[in-house]
């Protein structure tokens, strides 16, 4: 999160603009390098379960995270490492959750992308697609009750999630209640292995927006500049009473569904098309063209990032694993109503 | 003045809204219309802006409640019929029920399920699905059988820091009356001896408590004294009270309106057998609805569910052993 993001400043001076782009690029690169590190740890057998990366979606994800403010709500999905970092999640939270550290926010009870800090506005996703959108709605409705105005909630999904009932119910619900929801669809062409032609039959998901009565923008998801402008505008409109906003970003997933997936089903034509452009590279070139970041500065930035990530990994690796004997095994807050294990009962 | 089970639910919600600014009600037709059963009658007028009509979106209704609870509210979600809660099942069992365990952030939502059979309601407005919810860690499942419990347990449900599935029986809505609302109540998690006896324990809940009491009255004509344990909550299940009753009677019949495969009655028998095998003088028995969807016609429906007559017959069989 930035103090000064696009949604608060209708016109930015050159220095502010540069600062935002540099900050955004830093989050994109941080997410990319962190993803690479997590992939390496996964291949080395250091991470149990899955690893799901956001390669190719850093521009869009960062744009959303960086355009939100403190007090806003963010429900990222599996490819939003960049947006999480931009929203304020620490590298350590990610590494600890991937490695199952009891000191992470999920304490080894859930892993990888299933992490968050709900009280700080960062929602931990469940695996069921579309399910987080109505939860964001609920937080926004609560704030209306509590007379807290001026905050927005953003939820990220992929194009596959638009096929769910949960997506439909929640977007419709947000529209009915005129909630300040920004719903971001990363149309990354494949839901796991299923091409989008098997997911929906309209020519663009943006067409759905008028049906729900919500505003919409379509962007090139590989272009940081377009993503920043669209996210800033959508968040600003939602914040100022414009009701729910939809963003549809066209891009390509530059990795498998998870690191277990070689993704040989991806059409090579797509990889060679403009959709397959690497947004991190494109952003770096953009910054270089503007003379905001030269090659040696970029190398220095990358070096700093590598150090930050290595430090977090080293710390998480030194931490103990969760202890099943120390685990409370209690799923409810009302301790006096906990049944526990039958074998622990007397008689 | 007397009031019904349904009116007690309305009064409990009114009191919760009055006493706690964090409470709001969200559900289909609950606003100006006052709900399909009128459980929220006039509440939208008394508490403007806090009794909100939802779209027909059970998934989003529960998701909305979870979000509001994260933000410190105490939502009550009214499902029009328990059967429709299955459309919101994912949000209940995967979102609400797991939130506290995953994040340490409590999820104080109350989901009201008007449940159970009434004559003419058919397969999709009659289901008893308490056991499905009870199966999931992270949920509390309440099944009040009396007007007093409907009132006090709904208030406690709203006050609890966990997701509560509040199963209110539609058959009891209008039939059951009490003179006044209770000033005190047993806490959630404690079963109640609804009728004392020494020859056989019937452990049951919700509408079946009344069928069991009718059966006990019939059997008392033959000199049998039947103890009826009203579970009140199926999760947590007050095994202690059931085992203590079986210790007095030596015989156990579990009665439930839900389907026979698994479920609350099976759970009770499993626990009593494991924890109090030596107390049993005969194999424990159970009586449930038939293994078909709930039928529409009154003749079929009356034969599908346990009734005082079939409970009495099952009890006689067990008493003969």
């Amino acid at each position: 999160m930035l103090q000064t993001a696009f949604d608060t400043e209708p016109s930015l001076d050159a220095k502010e603009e540069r600062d935002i782009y540099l900050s955004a690029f830093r989050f994109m690169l941080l997410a990319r390098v962190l993803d690479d590190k997590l992939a390496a740890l996964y291949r080395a057998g250091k991470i149990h379960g899955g690893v799901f990366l956001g390669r190719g979606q850093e521009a869009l994800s960062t744009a959303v995270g960086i355009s939100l403010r403190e007090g806003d709500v963010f429900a990222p999905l599996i490819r939003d490492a960049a947006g999480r970092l931009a929203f304020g999640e620490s590298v350590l939270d990610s590494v600890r959750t991937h490695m199952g550290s009891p000191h992470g926010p999920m304490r080894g009870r859930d892993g990888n992308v299933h992490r968050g800090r709900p009280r700080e506005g960062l929602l931990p996703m469940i695996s069921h697609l579309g399910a987080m959108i109505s939860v964001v709605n609920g937080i926004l409705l609560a704030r209306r009750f509590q007379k807290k105005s001026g905050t927005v909630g953003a939820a990220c999904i992929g194009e596959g999630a638009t096929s769910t009932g949960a997506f439909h119910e929640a977007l419709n619900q947000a529209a009915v209640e005129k909630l300040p929801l920004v719903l971001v669809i990363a149309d990354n062409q494949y839901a796991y292995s299923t091409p989008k032609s098997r997911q929906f039959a309209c020519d663009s998901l943006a067409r759905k927006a008028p049906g729900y009565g919500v505003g919409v923008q379509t962007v090139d998801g590989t272009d940081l500049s377009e993503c920043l402008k669209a996210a800033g505008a959508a968040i600003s409109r939602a914040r100022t009473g414009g009701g729910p906003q939809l963003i549809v970003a066209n891009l390509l997933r530059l990795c498998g569904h998870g690191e277990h997936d070689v993704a040989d089903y991806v059409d090579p034509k797509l990889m060679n098309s403009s959709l397959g452009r690497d947004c991190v590279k494109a952003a770096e070139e953009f910054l270089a063209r503007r003379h905001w970041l030269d090659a040696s500065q970029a190398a220095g930035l990358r070096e700093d990032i590598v150090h930050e990530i290595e430090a977090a990994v080293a710390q998480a690796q030194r931490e103990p694993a969760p202890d099943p004997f120390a685990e409370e095994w209690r799923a409810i807050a009302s301790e006096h109503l906990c049944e526990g294990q039958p074998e622990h009962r007397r008689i | 003045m007397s009031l019904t089970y349904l009116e007690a639910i309305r009064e409990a919600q009114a009191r919760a809204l009055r006493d706690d600014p964090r409470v709001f009600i969200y559900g289909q037709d609950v606003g100006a219309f006052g709900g399909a059963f009128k459980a929220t009658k006039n509440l939208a007028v008394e508490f403007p802006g806090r009794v909100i009509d939802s779209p027909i979106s059970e998934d989003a209704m529960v998701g909305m409640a979870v979000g509001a609870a994260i933000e410190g509210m105490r939502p009550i979600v009214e499902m029009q019929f328990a059967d429709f809660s299955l459309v919101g099942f994912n949000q209940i069992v995967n979102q609400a029920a797991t939130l506290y365990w995953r994040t340490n952030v409590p999820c104080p939502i109350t989901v009201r399920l008007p449940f159970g059979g009434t004559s003419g309601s058919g397969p999709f407005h009659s289901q008893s699905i308490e056991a499905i919810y009870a199966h999931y860690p992270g949920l509390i499942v309440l099944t009040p059988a009396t007007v007093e419990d409907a009132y006090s347990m709904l208030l406690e449900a709203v006050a609890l820091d966990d997701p509560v599935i509040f199963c209110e029986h539609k058959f009891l809505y209008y039939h059951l009356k009490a003179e006044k609302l209770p000033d005190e109540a047993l806490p959630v998690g404690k079963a109640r001896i609804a009728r004392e006896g020494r020859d056989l324990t019937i452990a049951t809940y919700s509408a079946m408590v009344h069928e069991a009491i009718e059966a006990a009255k019939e059997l008392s004509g033959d000199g049998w004294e039947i103890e009826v344990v009203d579970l009140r909550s199926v999760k947590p299940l007050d095994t202690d009270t059931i085992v203590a009753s079986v210790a007095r009677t030596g015989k156990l019949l579990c009665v439930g309106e839900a389907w026979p495969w698994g479920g609350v009655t099976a759970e009770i028998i499993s626990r009593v057998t494991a924890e109090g095998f030596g107390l049993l003088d005969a194999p424990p028995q159970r009586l449930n609805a038939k293994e078909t969807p709930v039928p529409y016609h009154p003749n079929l429906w009356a034969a599908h569910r346990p009734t005082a007559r079939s409970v009495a017959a099952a009890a006689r069989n067990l008493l003969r052993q």
Side-chain angles (χ1 to χ4, degrees):
Chain A
M1 283 174 282
L2 280 188
Q3 282 299 335
T4 312
F6 276 114
D7 64 319
T8 56
E9 296 293 324
S11 63
L12 297 165
D13 66 33
K15 183 180 176 304
E16 285 169 332
E17 194 184 7
R18 187 198 66 182
D19 288 350
I20 287 172
Y21 274 88
L22 283 174
S23 175
F25 178 67
R26 188 182 185 282
F27 288 123
M28 291 172 68
L29 192 60
L30 183 60
R32 178 66 63 90
V33 176
L34 178 56
D35 269 4
D36 290 346
K37 182 68 189 178
L38 293 171
L41 288 167
Y42 172 79
R43 282 193 294 274
K46 305 276 190 193
I47 294 176
H48 293 281
V51 163
F52 304 89
L53 308 183
R55 280 184 202 139
Q57 299 192 189
E58 291 93 340
L60 174 67
S61 188
T62 296
V64 177
I66 207 169
S67 304
L68 294 168
R69 295 182 196 159
E70 196 170 338
D72 287 341
V73 180
F74 186 36
L77 211 74
I78 60 175
R79 309 201 191 284
D80 285 304
R84 288 168 172 276
L85 293 162
F87 185 66
E89 189 186 53
S90 68
V91 170
L92 195 55
D93 268 11
S94 169
V95 173
R96 279 174 160 166
T97 306
H98 277 91
M99 305 202 73
S101 164
H103 300 307
M106 311 313 283
R107 300 162 291 165
R109 294 178 178 187
D110 208 343
N112 52 63
V113 290
H114 299 283
R115 62 183 193 274
R117 295 179 181 268
R119 288 270 163 80
E120 292 164 33
L122 186 61
L123 296 182
M125 57 169 285
I126 68 168
S127 301
H128 305 68
L129 297 177
M132 300 312 297
I133 308 167
S134 58
V135 178
V136 175
N137 290 347
I139 293 179
L140 299 173
L141 184 76
R143 289 183 175 175
R144 182 181 293 170
F145 276 121
Q146 295 160 350
K147 312 238 182 302
K148 292 179 192 161
S149 58
T151 61
V152 306
C156 294
I157 57 171
E159 86 285 353
T162 65
S163 308
T164 65
F167 162 83
H168 163 75
E169 289 194 8
L171 185 52
N172 180 62
Q173 178 185 57
V176 168
E177 289 295 339
K178 298 184 177 55
L179 296 171
L181 170 77
V182 177
L183 183 54
V184 182
I185 304 174
D187 182 351
N188 67 10
Q189 316 303 316
Y190 290 87
Y192 206 150
S193 76
T194 303
K196 67 182 186 182
S197 61
R198 299 303 307 160
Q199 212 67 247
F200 53 88
C202 54
D203 56 3
S204 164
L205 288 171
R207 283 190 182 277
K208 301 206 176 208
Y212 289 104
V214 307
V216 66
Q217 299 168 82
T218 305
V219 295
D220 174 355
T222 70
D223 185 312
L224 174 62
S225 184
E226 272 199 35
C227 290
L228 279 170
K229 282 174 190 152
I235 287 169
S236 175
R237 273 201 286 276
R239 203 184 297 287
T240 51
Q245 305 293 320
L246 191 67
I247 295 173
V248 178
N250 296 305
L251 46 86
L252 181 66
R253 194 184 74 204
L254 300 181
C255 51
H257 168 60
E259 279 307 274
H260 57 277
D261 172 26
V262 295
D264 50 4
Y265 45 80
V266 174
D267 185 346
K269 281 205 282 288
L270 280 175
M271 287 192 270
N272 297 323
S273 75
S274 59
L275 285 172
R277 183 168 79 138
D278 181 342
C279 62
V280 176
K281 258 189 213 158
E284 189 172 346
E285 286 160 13
F286 174 84
L287 294 178
R289 279 201 304 278
R290 289 284 186 100
H291 304 292
W292 288 342
L293 187 78
D294 63 26
S296 77
Q297 288 168 318
L301 179 61
R302 183 178 284 272
E303 200 176 323
D304 291 347
I305 282 172
V306 168
H307 281 306
E308 182 182 347
I309 290 167
E310 289 299 337
V313 171
Q315 182 174 339
Q317 278 186 319
R318 281 197 301 272
E319 288 169 355
D323 177 0
F325 296 99
E327 169 65 48
E328 243 188 313
W329 301 113
R330 173 163 61 85
I332 55 174
S334 312
E335 202 165 348
H336 67 291
L337 297 180
C338 187
E339 291 207 311
Q341 302 286 343
E343 65 265 28
H344 293 166
R345 294 174 51 84
R346 50 125 207 81
I347 299 189
Chain B
M1 167 215 144
S2 75
L3 82 171
T4 63
Y5 183 96
L6 177 63
E7 287 162 344
I9 287 165
R10 191 249 172 225
E11 290 308 310
Q13 292 182 105
R15 183 165 159 190
L17 285 161
R18 201 159 43 238
D19 291 353
D20 190 341
R22 300 171 300 176
V23 174
F24 71 96
I25 300 175
Y26 190 52
Q28 294 155 27
D29 304 300
V30 298
F33 185 65
F37 294 100
K38 301 295 169 198
T40 56
K41 189 178 171 185
N42 291 331
L43 293 181
V45 178
E46 273 180 59
F47 304 96
R50 294 171 66 195
V51 185
I52 307 172
D53 283 328
S54 72
I56 305 171
S57 297
E58 286 81 4
D59 181 287
M61 283 157 59
V62 179
M64 173 87 96
V66 172
I70 288 171
E71 206 58 13
M73 302 296 285
R74 301 248 159 193
I76 300 172
V77 174
E78 177 181 302
M79 293 290 168
Q80 204 152 74
F81 287 79
D83 315 46
F84 303 143
S85 73
L86 297 174
V87 185
F89 189 67
N90 181 48
Q91 293 284 10
I92 296 174
V93 305
N94 285 315
Q95 191 89 260
T98 63
L99 183 74
Y100 173 73
W101 190 75
R102 287 184 295 137
T103 66
N104 228 22
V105 173
C107 186
I109 70 171
T110 300
V111 184
R112 290 182 36 237
L113 306 190
F115 89 109
T118 51
S119 177
S121 293
F124 310 114
H125 294 77
S126 302
Q127 292 171 26
S128 297
I129 49 177
E130 61 283 353
I132 301 176
Y133 290 111
H135 183 68
Y136 276 86
L139 299 176
I140 288 167
V141 184
L142 307 183
T143 49
T146 66
V147 176
E148 291 83 353
D149 275 352
Y151 180 77
S152 69
M153 291 170 77
L154 182 49
L155 281 171
E156 194 172 347
V158 174
L160 283 172
D161 277 340
D162 289 296
V164 178
I165 306 301
F166 191 82
C167 303
E168 47 192 61
H169 204 298
K170 301 190 297 290
F171 189 71
L172 304 180
Y173 268 173
Y174 313 104
H175 291 216
L176 226 49
K177 289 196 169 96
E179 283 311 304
K180 62 180 183 66
L181 293 170
D183 301 320
E184 53 184 23
L186 275 179
V188 160
K190 292 285 176 219
R192 172 182 74 102
I193 305 296
R195 182 187 171 98
E196 291 186 2
R198 59 162 192 240
D199 298 318
L200 177 144
T201 297
I202 299 180
T204 187
Y205 55 102
S206 194
M208 289 296 120
V209 169
H210 305 283
E211 302 297 328
I213 288 172
E214 279 307 302
K217 284 180 186 165
E218 185 190 321
L219 290 162
S220 73
D222 301 336
W224 297 111
E225 291 184 25
I226 309 298
E227 182 146 296
V228 178
V229 177
D230 169 9
L231 302 176
R232 301 177 72 245
S233 90
V234 301
K235 190 171 196 180
L237 188 60
D238 182 1
T239 315
D240 289 354
T241 296
I242 304 167
V243 170
S245 175
V246 173
R248 288 189 286 276
T249 65
K251 291 184 173 170
L252 175 65
L253 172 65
C254 301
V255 180
E257 190 181 328
W259 290 302
W261 202 99
V264 177
T265 54
E267 179 70 21
I268 295 168
I269 288 185
S270 159
R271 293 192 190 195
V272 171
T273 311
E275 298 181 20
F277 187 71
L279 306 171
L280 290 161
D281 296 334
Q285 299 296 317
R286 63 198 190 108
L287 183 64
N288 284 92
K290 290 191 191 305
E291 174 70 353
T292 68
V294 185
Y296 153 74
H297 194 277
N299 291 357
L300 298 177
W301 176 68
H304 181 268
R305 70 196 273 267
T307 57
R309 212 171 142 189
S310 64
V311 173
R316 276 184 215 281
N317 275 341
L318 185 51
L319 286 163
R320 275 199 290 270
Q321 290 189 37

